[in-house]
């Protein structure tokens, strides 16, 4: 049985938070809103509970989790070293949608890090997430609260679509503000690398980290540094084809392909928004779920123009959802 509890997003009810925190401390699985997407929380230092979380999501054990803490003051026990830049970044971006990958301490279980010698940590900005972490008083590992390879949830209803009956509690704090997952920044190596683009962009990071660079979405063959960053992820059930290129050429090509698909009796869903990237980010995952619910056979999507801000994150998630089905229109 999964319990759903509604909260006032800006002023979460203390009794609801206290109950959810107690559930976490006892090893329960609690979904909660963050400013990016809903997370599925579990006591990060409780190995058995973390294993239950992987089972509930159907997530492969080689995909490490982000540890969520209430404030940067809770970071030291989790990490083996803390370069000065961590304090600078934490002061500027926490709480907020930036995850830092750092060398881990022995406290963090292998179940959380998938055996890597690093741990990913962030301080979420949502009042519900903050209240929950503060009340629980423990580090909370939380992947996005979706079934493995489904789009991340941006509303409590999405969490229930995927996980009803598989988790203990959903805290419903309304729709999330950003809509795509946090920026993952790896500081464990010589050169800082963004492993997953998000709201904290390269342009925003560069003044503080002049040599920061974006890592290619798919690594060369060999051991994966972050298996969850493999191409196929964030996918709707229907295959998604992504169109890139000059807007008029893209629209022309999409029209042709829609006509051909319909002539073959296939139902097509279209994702051709005119919104700016921030609005598109808030709607992307809900739109993918709606198209799936409508029972379309395939989805055609247009890559948003590179306009800074969240456009890189939206493009990244669409490319992953397309899993290689990309049409370049010259
Ligand atoms: O916005 C977010 O980050 C959301 C909310 C709930 O906080 N969480 C989230 O978690 O997106 P998840 O598990 O869906 O994605 C975590 C990503 C994965 O791509 C994983 O591979 C990567 O972070 N990651 C976690 N630990 C890592 C590590 N030690 N080294 C490299 N990548 C890591
Ligand atoms: Mg996820």
């Amino acid at each position: 049985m999964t319990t759903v509890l509604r909260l006032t997003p800006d002023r979460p009810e203390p009794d609801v938070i206290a109950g959810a925190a107690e559930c976490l401390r006892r090893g329960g699985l609690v979904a909660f809103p963050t400013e990016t997407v809903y997370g599925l929380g579990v006591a990060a230092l409780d190995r058995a509970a973390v294993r239950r979380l992987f089972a509930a999501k159907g997530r492969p054990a080689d995909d490490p989790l982000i540890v969520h803490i209430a404030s940067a003051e809770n970071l030291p026990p989790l990490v083996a070293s803390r370069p000065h830049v961590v304090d600078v970044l934490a002061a500027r971006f926490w709480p907020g949608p930036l995850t830092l990958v750092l060398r881990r301490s022995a406290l963090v279980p292998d179940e959380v890090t998938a055996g890597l010698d690093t741990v990913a940590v962030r301080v979420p900005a949502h009042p519900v997430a903050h209240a929950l972490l503060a009340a629980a008083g423990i580090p909370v590992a939380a992947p996005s609260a979706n079934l493995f390879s489904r789009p991340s949830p941006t509303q409590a209803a999405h969490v229930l679509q995927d996980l009803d009956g598989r988790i203990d509690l959903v805290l419903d704090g309304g729709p999330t503000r950003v809509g795509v997952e946090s920026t993952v920044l790896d500081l464990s190596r010589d050169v800082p690398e963004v492993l997953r683009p998000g709201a904290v962009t390269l342009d925003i990071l560069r003044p503080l980290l002049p040599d920061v660079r974006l890592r290619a979405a798919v690594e060369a063959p060999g051991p994966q540094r972050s298996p969850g960053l493999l191409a196929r992820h964030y996918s709707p059930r229907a295959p998604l084809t992504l169109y890139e290129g000059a807007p008029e050429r893209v629209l022309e090509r999409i029209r042709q392909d829609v006509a051909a698909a319909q002539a073959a009796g296939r139902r097509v869903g279209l994702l051709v928004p005119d919104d700016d990237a921030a609005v598109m980010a808030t709607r992307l995952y809900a739109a993918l779920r709606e198209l799936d619910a409508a029972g379309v056979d395939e989805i055609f999507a247009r890559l948003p123009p590179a306009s800074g801000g969240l456009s890189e994150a939206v493009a990244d998630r669409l490319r992953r959802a397309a899993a290689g089905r990309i049409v370049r229109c010259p």
Side-chain angles (χ1 to χ4, degrees):
M1 258 293 284
T2 300
T3 305
V4 183
L5 296 174
R6 264 236 155 121
L7 291 136
T8 312
D10 302 337
R11 275 181 304 111
E13 290 71 3
D15 53 328
V16 176
I17 292 292
E22 183 55 26
C23 182
L24 278 176
R25 278 196 300 267
R26 290 215 212 96
L29 303 182
V30 178
F32 60 96
T34 79
E35 76 279 32
T36 58
V37 300
Y38 274 73
L40 178 58
V42 70
L45 308 185
D46 181 339
R47 293 170 188 272
V50 174
R51 284 198 291 267
R52 284 198 296 279
L53 179 142
F54 275 91
K57 273 190 58 110
R59 178 170 171 128
D62 64 357
D63 190 0
L65 305 179
I66 297 173
V67 177
H68 295 62
I69 52 179
S71 102
E73 283 162 33
N74 306 125
L75 179 65
L78 302 173
V79 297
S81 68
R82 199 165 101 239
H84 174 64
V85 69
V86 172
D87 295 327
V88 175
L89 292 168
R92 169 88 190 272
F93 297 110
W94 283 356
L98 178 66
T99 295
L100 300 179
V101 174
L102 301 164
R103 302 240 161 243
R104 67 150 158 166
S105 74
L107 195 65
V108 185
D110 282 337
E111 281 82 353
V112 169
T113 67
L116 297 175
D117 60 359
T118 55
V119 61
V121 187
R122 90 174 185 101
V123 177
H126 197 290
V128 171
H130 178 77
L132 180 64
L133 293 167
I138 53 171
V140 172
S144 50
N146 51 283
L147 280 175
F148 175 66
S149 96
R150 297 279 299 141
S152 292
T154 55
Q155 304 167 20
H158 299 161
V159 178
L160 289 171
Q161 280 171 11
D162 282 13
L163 297 172
D164 194 10
R166 305 170 76 99
I167 63 177
D168 297 293
L169 182 61
V170 180
L171 296 181
D172 181 353
T176 62
R177 179 168 57 79
V178 179
V180 293
E181 305 84 347
S182 62
T183 303
V184 177
L185 173 63
D186 187 350
L187 295 174
S188 71
R189 305 203 162 192
D190 294 341
V191 179
E193 279 189 329
V194 168
L195 305 182
R196 180 176 72 182
V200 179
T201 61
L202 284 173
D203 286 345
I204 294 173
L205 290 168
R206 216 168 266 121
L208 299 173
L209 286 174
D211 52 347
V212 68
R213 66 186 180 199
L214 184 67
R215 196 195 60 183
V218 181
E219 290 205 327
Q224 297 294 320
R225 254 164 71 204
S226 191
L229 300 169
L230 279 173
R232 202 193 127 72
H233 212 61
Y234 313 101
S235 314
R237 287 196 187 87
L240 182 149
T241 305
L242 187 61
Y243 294 79
E244 289 189 37
E248 320 78 59
R249 299 284 303 125
V250 163
L251 288 179
E252 194 184 312
R253 179 66 194 269
I254 289 180
R255 267 190 221 107
Q256 287 170 7
D257 289 0
V258 168
Q262 287 179 334
R266 297 174 65 76
R267 300 186 65 204
V268 181
L270 285 182
L271 213 60
V272 187
D274 279 325
D275 305 307
D276 71 28
V279 175
M280 193 167 172
T282 63
R283 296 195 185 146
L284 176 64
Y285 290 139
L288 293 177
R289 283 177 181 265
E290 282 160 24
L291 290 174
D292 270 343
V296 301
D297 300 307
E298 50 190 318
I299 298 171
F300 297 159
R302 176 169 74 178
L303 196 75
S307 58
L310 278 158
S311 66
E312 186 56 43
V314 170
D316 169 77
R317 303 315 188 270
L318 282 172
R319 286 198 190 95
R320 292 168 200 251
R325 283 179 302 271
I326 296 185
V327 176
R328 294 199 174 78
C329 307

